[in-house]
Amino acid sequence: MFPKTGNACRKSRGGLSSALALALALTGGAVVGTAMTASPAFAQNSKGFAAAYKPVADITNAPGGDLAAAKAQLPGVIAAAETPDDKNIAGNLSLILGNKLNDPVLQRQGLELMLASGKVDPAQVGELQFLVGNLAYNAKDFPAARTALLAAVAAGRTADNPEGLIAESYFGEGQNAQGLDYLQSQIEKRVAAGQPVPDQWLVRGLQVAYNAKLDDKTLEWSTLLVTHGTSDKKWLQALQVVNSLTTTDKQAQLDLLRLMALTNAMSDRREYVTYIETADPRVMSNEVGRVLDAAVQAGVMTTGDQYYSEVKRVVDERAAADRKDAPQLAADARKSGSGRDAQVAGDVFLSIGSYAEAEEMFKLALEKGGVDRDQTLTRLGIAQVHQNRYSDAQATFGQVTGARATVARMWAAYADSRA
């Protein structure tokens, strides 16, 4: 269900290497300094630095130069840097040498020296900080990566979603809750600004929360995914995760499976069988009949399947009688002093697809009392959804509390998406 790595949120190493070619643009395609003391561009460089710098720059510039020798002498160049200009040019030398050697340590060192010098064009600061952040992240130096990436964002760097890699820097340290909070804050900013939310952020957040066994955040991110995601698979991804957390309450699971069926989020035979057995063909035969048809249509069962045949036999025996008995159940519920009879009648009407009648019975059950209020509210909201009364359904689901609130929240998100 989930991607196996967090790379969806960050730039590829190939892209990073290409971006580091920016150093060539900054220096006109070569290391500067062969006539350093004579050029006005180097007037602010110290003489000691110039003496250390020139031979290393000459080697780096020379076709076929001994780059290993240049690398060995580079620490002396950096140590000789005194002025901001010295540090900027030393950093540029380190960066270009790192590019030629494909050495990320030298690349990062060069970028950091250039930024620390204060001599980088302000328009390039965001890009260079982004590159430092990528290099630090690849080196698993997550705090440094986060610092650089936050600086890149502050400087206006928005391409390639640096916020996603900032979240990954938290995840890389095992600070999963903090990373999820940060990523959620960025989602909220985008929503407030009317901007789209990257699907990979939503899926990644759900993946991290689920794998870290942060149940509350898993449920929260499931809701975020179905609320803000654009993928056709968002309901499948979110509801299968929620389903795995609600298996202890069979009636809550039944209502979640109803939503999974409605959103085409059921993907394997096991889910259909769980739905069938929880609904029970002896009790909700008409609903089970619809589930059987859906299972055949999905290709997870055939009409020649022994399990299908056994369940279908019970459905065929019970379906007509359940439809016939429903009005009498409603009449009896109206006379009863207990809400339990009305709840049973509501369940029957819900299962046969008579949603207005189901709504009436569930409201009556709540009025008379003696029922599981949260379960009855959930099913009242479901009946309202099936009547396309989404605002009413959202208000109903909003009253559900306790363990049932998770299922109600997912139904409320569905109602919101339809409204």
Side-chain angles (χ1 to χ4, degrees):
M1 183 198 320
F2 296 118
K4 293 183 179 179
T5 70
N7 291 343
C9 293
R10 62 187 178 92
K11 197 169 184 177
S12 69
R13 294 192 184 201
L16 177 62
S17 296
S18 298
L20 284 169
L22 175 65
L24 298 179
L26 293 173
T27 59
V31 180
V32 185
T34 52
M36 197 160 83
T37 55
S39 170
F42 302 110
Q44 300 303 313
N45 290 112
S46 61
K47 291 183 178 180
F49 173 76
Y53 174 88
K54 185 179 182 305
V56 181
D58 289 344
I59 296 172
T60 303
N61 278 330
D66 187 347
L67 299 179
K71 178 179 178 179
Q73 297 176 55
L74 183 62
V77 176
I78 294 171
E82 298 177 12
T83 68
D85 286 302
D86 292 348
K87 293 175 182 178
N88 184 39
I89 293 178
N92 193 240
L93 174 61
S94 178
L95 176 59
I96 294 179
L97 189 56
N99 284 350
K100 290 189 173 186
L101 290 170
N102 195 27
D103 185 330
V105 174
L106 292 184
Q107 291 170 335
R108 177 181 167 188
Q109 173 181 257
L111 290 165
E112 290 176 336
L113 280 168
M114 292 168 68
L115 288 164
S117 75
K119 291 294 185 176
V120 172
D121 182 344
Q124 297 290 350
V125 167
E127 180 69 18
L128 297 193
Q129 291 283 17
F130 179 73
L131 298 177
V132 170
N134 273 263
L135 288 164
Y137 182 90
N138 288 340
K140 301 189 185 303
D141 187 353
F142 299 119
R146 189 158 55 248
T147 297
L149 291 164
L150 287 168
V153 172
R157 178 60 155 80
T158 58
D160 303 303
N161 293 331
E163 301 91 343
L165 190 52
I166 292 170
E168 290 292 342
S169 74
Y170 284 107
F171 302 151
E173 289 187 288
Q175 297 186 48
N176 297 311
Q178 294 92 326
L180 291 170
D181 288 344
Y182 170 79
L183 195 55
Q184 185 171 349
S185 73
Q186 300 309 302
I187 290 171
E188 291 169 353
K189 284 183 181 179
R190 291 203 171 207
V191 171
Q195 299 173 341
V197 177
D199 279 331
Q200 63 265 35
W201 287 10
L202 297 162
V203 174
R204 180 64 173 150
L206 179 56
Q207 176 195 40
V208 170
Y210 180 75
N211 289 342
K213 302 186 187 310
L214 300 173
D215 289 356
D216 288 346
K217 288 192 176 293
T218 297
L219 300 174
E220 189 172 9
W221 278 86
S222 296
T223 304
L224 287 170
L225 175 58
V226 298
T227 301
H228 302 299
T230 60
S231 168
D232 292 339
K233 295 181 178 180
K234 67 180 184 180
W235 285 102
L236 173 67
Q237 292 168 323
L239 293 180
Q240 286 190 336
V241 169
V242 175
N243 188 32
S244 72
L245 301 178
T246 57
T247 55
T248 56
D249 182 341
K250 292 301 181 184
Q251 290 302 305
Q253 187 180 33
L254 173 59
D255 290 337
L256 187 66
L257 287 164
R258 286 168 165 157
L259 181 56
M260 292 177 71
L262 189 60
T263 56
N264 297 316
M266 297 174 69
S267 63
D268 61 39
R269 179 187 176 94
R270 174 184 51 82
E271 290 167 341
Y272 286 94
V273 170
T274 299
Y275 192 161
I276 290 167
E277 294 182 353
T278 305
D280 193 339
R282 299 166 300 177
V283 179
M284 301 180 181
S285 56
N286 288 274
E287 184 170 1
V288 169
R290 295 193 297 272
V291 178
L292 278 178
D293 291 342
V296 171
Q297 187 174 2
V300 299
M301 290 185 192
T302 68
T303 55
D305 188 312
Q306 181 179 354
Y307 180 80
Y308 174 93
S309 300
E310 291 174 355
V311 174
K312 187 69 164 64
R313 176 180 56 78
V314 177
V315 167
D316 290 343
E317 290 173 355
R318 292 291 313 160
D322 287 347
R323 289 193 297 271
K324 181 180 178 181
D325 293 344
Q328 187 60 50
L329 289 173
D332 293 342
R334 294 185 187 100
K335 298 175 185 177
S336 173
S338 170
R340 175 61 184 161
D341 294 328
Q343 185 181 47
V344 170
D347 283 339
V348 172
F349 279 122
L350 190 65
S351 73
I352 65 178
S354 296
Y355 300 116
E357 292 82 356
E359 179 179 9
E360 178 194 353
M361 288 295 103
F362 289 134
K363 285 182 175 178
L364 185 61
L366 291 168
E367 179 185 329
K368 292 189 174 186
V371 298
D372 182 332
R373 178 177 172 80
D374 289 325
Q375 177 177 305
T376 304
L377 281 168
T378 302
R379 292 179 180 174
L380 171 59
I382 293 171
Q384 291 168 332
V385 164
H386 282 289
Q387 296 174 78
N388 301 327
R389 291 180 26 226
Y390 302 117
S391 295
D392 290 341
Q394 287 175 296
T396 300
F397 291 131
Q399 299 176 58
V400 179
T401 60
R404 270 264 173 181
T406 296
V407 174
R409 282 176 63 182
M410 300 310 293
W411 271 100
Y414 176 78
D416 182 63
S417 72
R418 300 299 295 172

